[in-house]
Amino acid sequence: MTNRTSLTIVPGLTVGHHTIPDHATGCTVVLGPPEGFRAAVALRGRATGTREIDPLSPRHLVERIDAILFTGGSAYGLGAADGVMRWLRERGRGLSVGPLGTIPIVPTAVIFDLGNAGKPLGWPGPDDGYRACEAAGEEFAEGAIGAGTGATVGKAAGLDKMMPAGVGTWAARAEGSNVVVGVLTVVNAVGDVRDARGEIIAGARGPDGRFLDSVRFLANGGAPFGDPERLTRNTTLAVIATNAALDRVQLEALAEAGSDALARRITPYGTLYDGDVIFAVSTATVPAASALQVEALAALAVPTAVERAVRRA
């Protein structure tokens, strides 16, 4: 068993980034093993942008997916999934449809990063999704890269007070067991990010350069974003992966538990202006003591992944 401390601690998973510097955006793909993996989702933000989410319902015909794509560009970036599908189809991966070949299943979620870094507007397209697949491996970078290139946090009091964020990852392992959980996050939140002591480490800053505390700012009647006409540009995305043999109902509960862990580090979390989406996936290769064991491992890994997303940016 590897000592890796990233999402790819789960054997069979690889991660690839493609960054578009001229537009300060990009995309990040999580590729499953050739046979795919079980998956579920929790939609916790109220401004989500997604594609191919229906197959993640435990009641859906499709039992396994092939990849997950995170992309910048808001809804414009959803087209990058076409390139991921093309890459998978060329390799015979996806839902078999007999002589017609395969249909790769690629759930996708976006962040709103348009204009965050002051660059000309642009977004990932199919070729960028394909390039992310080509770059995928067990080792991958964190910070302002891929889907996290234009990510920011601390926008509750205005876009001029935000700070850069990006991609973060971490992992946890059960003692005396082969059960592992790996997490990858893209943090682009309205709120602030806090450390394990509850202290703000990235967020909105006041004129004196000190942290405002976004929750307190809003609680005292501060205008969201300092400009009611610009109520956008936010989302936290996460993949929680495990090798534990969980069914799709248990994975749905794992995604919800992962969302709870995000709320311990991001304040406020899941607001009207966030598009938070949490995926839970399983390669289902080892037994777990219980589903709750896997949820507890996620609770250990998710907060560190969030913190690394801002510290590495």
Side-chain angles (χ1 to χ4, degrees):
M1 183 67 69
T2 178
N3 291 321
R4 195 172 290 115
T5 55
S6 72
L7 183 80
T8 56
I9 192 174
V10 178
L13 301 191
T14 56
V15 175
H17 300 301
H18 182 68
T19 301
I20 310 172
D22 288 348
H23 302 294
T25 190
C27 55
T28 297
V29 68
V30 178
L31 296 175
E35 66 275 16
F37 44 23
R38 298 173 185 167
V41 68
L43 304 177
R44 293 298 293 268
R46 287 167 277 171
T48 53
T50 61
R51 164 174 162 165
E52 200 78 299
I53 293 296
D54 287 355
L56 301 178
S57 167
R59 297 177 296 278
H60 200 277
L61 171 69
V62 174
E63 295 184 353
R64 289 175 175 260
I65 67 169
D66 301 288
I68 290 173
L69 179 67
F70 291 161
T71 178
S74 189
Y76 292 114
L78 290 171
D82 290 344
V84 178
M85 291 182 69
R86 173 161 52 94
W87 189 92
L88 290 163
R89 181 178 170 84
E90 288 174 357
R91 289 153 180 80
R93 295 167 65 170
L95 178 69
S96 176
V97 286
L100 299 178
T102 63
I103 300 176
I105 308 299
V106 186
T108 301
V110 305
I111 70 168
F112 192 114
D113 57 1
L114 299 172
N116 273 5
K119 296 290 184 70
L121 294 186
W123 45 84
D127 290 345
D128 302 304
Y130 192 98
R131 293 183 186 110
C133 294
E134 289 283 278
E138 294 181 346
E139 302 293 334
F140 60 96
E142 299 172 85
I145 190 170
T149 302
T152 55
V153 296
K155 289 159 278 192
L159 300 182
D160 58 324
K161 300 174 177 64
M162 63 190 181
M163 292 181 63
V167 175
T169 188
W170 197 245
R173 179 195 307 276
E175 295 181 5
S177 166
N178 288 328
V179 175
V180 295
V181 168
V183 175
L184 182 145
T185 63
V186 180
V187 180
N188 185 53
V190 169
D192 306 320
V193 174
R194 297 175 182 268
D195 64 17
R197 297 182 300 276
E199 297 177 359
I200 298 173
I201 57 173
R205 292 183 181 273
D208 59 0
R210 302 168 76 176
F211 290 122
L212 284 176
D213 188 333
S214 295
V215 171
R216 177 57 57 189
F217 170 81
L218 294 170
N220 288 338
F225 299 85
D227 179 357
E229 298 301 317
R230 304 183 74 178
L231 303 180
T232 51
R233 310 192 178 194
N234 320 283
T235 287
T236 296
L237 307 176
V239 177
I240 301 167
T242 183
N243 59 352
L246 302 183
D247 62 32
R248 290 195 287 170
V249 172
Q250 292 169 326
L251 284 172
E252 197 169 64
L254 177 60
E256 296 285 352
S259 177
D260 294 341
L262 288 170
R264 290 195 285 274
R265 288 299 178 91
I266 300 171
T267 57
Y269 169 74
T271 74
L272 176 63
Y273 310 116
D274 282 297
D276 303 332
V277 182
I278 302 90
F279 297 92
V281 305
S282 170
T283 56
T285 57
V286 303
S290 68
L292 192 57
Q293 177 190 30
V294 185
E295 291 181 21
L297 289 170
L300 295 174
V302 169
T304 302
V306 171
E307 185 171 334
R308 290 172 69 89
V310 295
R311 292 197 184 279
R312 294 304 176 99

